[in-house]
Amino acid sequence: MKWKEQINGMKAYQPGKSIDAVKREFGLNEIVKLASNENPFGCSPKVHEFLANESFNFALYPDGYATDMREAVAKHLGVSGDELIFGNGSDELISIITRALLHPGVNTVMGKPTFSQYALNARIEGAEIREVPLKDGNHDLDAMLQEIDENTAVVWVCSPNNPTGVVVEDAPLKAFLDQVPKDVLVVLDEAYFEYVTNDKHKDTIPYIKDYSNVIILRTFSKAYGLAAFRVGYGIANKDLIAKLDPVRGPFNNTVLSQAVIQVALKDQEYIEKCRVENTKGKEQIEAYCDERHLQYYPTDTNFILMEVKMDSDVVFQKLMQRGFIIRSGNALGTPGYIRVTIGTQAQNAGLLAQLTAVLEEEGVFA
């Protein structure tokens, strides 16, 4: 068959093992999954109540323009409906952007390590990938500017960055945007926006008025606890959205997801509660690292990338055998580290106790 040359040798995304699979493999009754940065508290109780009391006609296609959800999100953000584009998670928006702008002969600039889907989608489209090493876990914006030339089409800024959790502060970000050529799209991927507590980071939505080449990506999969419903959204000026929207597949958000998002948006008290609890959990893990002299990156997300001073894969495997699923830094381009989703305080305490046992067993802790 006449396969696209770029996909030769590519491997499909490998998700972590499911909870049920780990239970079966190790004969465990309880598993704590702290690997995918899901909200450990789940979604708003109002969502559960809504789903228990509503019914839908599943024979009908959803609204292809997501009119009601669009209006709700636009009102929440203070933008107009034509400044939004919705995806089946942020992942689909990334593929829409790359499909629209990347092709052989152009290049795209990103940090390293950062979210893997930028490079994956760029590779599929045959674009040159220019990866700029992070500086102290953050994007080296000056070095990224040096990589931009007349053939650059897209620049990716993941803030807070995955897997390090470090947020780009407002002053350097604005200075960066001032220097990026106007014919280069800057993607500000803010999947963890709701968790940010750094007071030097400001809401970036005003940037869509100041910079015609900026699109902001956000999602309902993280703080809102709605990962199963797969809704991500992009915010940009209406002309940019109008160019991207024809690339979006029709009916890409389900009837259920469109309805649930509207309910979740109304419960901002729940989001604030999750942010407060996440901060407590973050401080709990940071205190553990400080006490044991394990380096970690200052995170503005619901995960933390922390040092283990040994092979990350071994720690990953041994923790899984003990009922805790985390991410090995080897898979993220950060060997010697593990990425841990911040759970409830009880989950965190359980994980840290088992991590201590593993590191003592392996001789890291004397």
Side-chain angles (χ1 to χ4, degrees):
M1 297 185 186
K2 301 177 180 65
W3 295 109
K4 198 172 186 177
E5 181 181 348
Q6 293 91 281
I7 70 170
N8 288 335
M10 289 186 67
K11 295 181 179 180
Y13 175 76
Q14 296 294 318
K17 291 184 179 181
S18 69
I19 290 174
D20 288 339
V22 174
K23 282 183 178 180
R24 289 192 298 269
E25 182 175 353
F26 299 108
L28 299 170
N29 294 320
E30 184 177 350
I31 299 294
V32 177
K33 184 186 176 191
L34 299 174
S36 300
N37 306 335
E38 296 139 332
N39 187 336
F41 304 101
C43 62
S44 164
K46 293 181 180 180
V47 170
H48 291 290
E49 181 181 355
F50 173 79
L51 290 172
N53 293 287
E54 292 293 328
S55 60
F56 298 87
N57 185 345
F58 296 121
L60 302 180
Y61 284 105
D63 174 6
Y65 191 62
T67 304
D68 292 341
M69 179 172 71
R70 183 179 300 272
E71 290 179 357
V73 174
K75 180 180 179 181
H76 174 69
L77 298 175
V79 301
S80 62
D82 56 6
E83 292 174 323
L84 295 170
I85 183 171
F86 291 93
N88 189 258
S90 295
D91 295 311
E92 187 189 25
L93 295 171
I94 293 167
S95 66
I96 287 171
I97 290 167
T98 55
R99 188 178 181 192
L101 285 158
L102 299 184
H103 53 83
V106 303
N107 67 69
T108 181
V109 178
M110 64 194 70
K112 183 179 182 179
T114 193
F115 188 46
S116 62
Q117 294 302 296
Y118 311 147
L120 175 71
N121 282 277
R123 190 168 294 113
I124 290 170
E125 301 304 331
E128 177 193 352
I129 300 166
R130 298 183 176 181
E131 297 177 307
V132 178
L134 303 180
K135 180 184 289 186
D136 298 324
N138 207 339
H139 287 71
D140 187 343
L141 297 179
D142 290 336
M144 290 175 72
L145 280 171
Q146 296 301 312
E147 292 295 325
I148 298 173
D149 61 21
E150 66 276 7
N151 295 318
T152 304
V154 183
V155 176
W156 306 88
V157 179
C158 187
S159 177
N161 185 49
N162 184 3
T164 59
V166 182
V167 72
V168 178
E169 295 179 354
D170 185 64
L173 178 59
K174 190 175 187 308
F176 175 76
L177 295 176
D178 285 340
Q179 298 177 74
V180 175
K182 300 308 177 188
D183 62 348
V184 175
L185 178 67
V186 179
V187 182
L188 301 181
D189 188 347
E190 299 183 344
Y192 300 92
F193 168 77
E194 288 82 7
Y195 288 114
V196 175
T197 58
N198 187 329
D199 59 8
K200 293 183 179 179
H201 174 273
K202 299 178 182 178
D203 189 348
T204 53
I205 289 179
Y207 287 156
I208 72 168
K209 304 294 185 185
D210 301 331
Y211 304 97
S212 60
N213 59 330
V214 167
I215 184 168
I216 302 161
L217 304 186
R218 293 182 184 173
T219 182
F220 289 97
S221 295
K222 304 302 181 185
Y224 282 88
L226 297 172
F229 289 93
R230 310 305 300 127
V231 179
Y233 58 99
I235 317 156
N237 73 78
K238 64 180 183 178
D239 293 333
L240 199 161
I241 295 293
K243 293 291 287 186
L244 287 175
D245 209 32
V247 185
R248 177 182 61 86
F251 313 119
N252 62 331
N253 294 120
T254 68
V255 171
L256 279 174
S257 63
Q258 292 184 31
V260 161
I261 294 310
Q262 297 173 64
V263 176
L265 277 172
K266 295 177 182 177
D267 195 357
Q268 290 303 307
E269 289 183 7
Y270 181 75
I271 299 302
E272 177 59 25
K273 174 185 174 183
C274 290
R275 180 165 42 241
V276 170
E277 290 302 315
N278 183 74
T279 299
K280 292 178 182 176
K282 175 172 63 175
E283 292 170 350
Q284 182 183 8
I285 298 174
E286 288 176 344
Y288 174 91
C289 292
D290 288 338
E291 183 179 342
R292 290 159 179 81
H293 306 291
L294 299 175
Q295 198 272 335
Y296 59 90
Y297 289 96
T299 181
D300 269 284
T301 65
N302 69 334
F303 64 83
I304 186 164
L305 186 68
M306 56 180 289
E307 183 183 32
V308 288
K309 296 184 177 179
M310 60 172 291
D311 188 336
S312 306
D313 284 349
V314 173
V315 176
F316 162 76
Q317 189 68 23
K318 287 184 174 290
L319 284 175
M320 188 161 55
Q321 293 170 2
R322 289 164 165 81
F324 288 87
I325 308 174
I326 51 92
R327 284 299 300 273
S328 166
N330 289 355
L332 303 170
T334 56
Y337 286 73
I338 57 173
R339 193 191 69 189
V340 177
T341 301
I342 299 168
T344 66
Q345 292 194 54
Q347 289 173 338
N348 298 335
L351 169 73
L352 296 175
Q354 293 301 325
L355 177 60
T356 298
V358 170
L359 297 182
E360 287 178 346
E361 181 181 293
E362 293 296 320
V364 174
F365 294 160

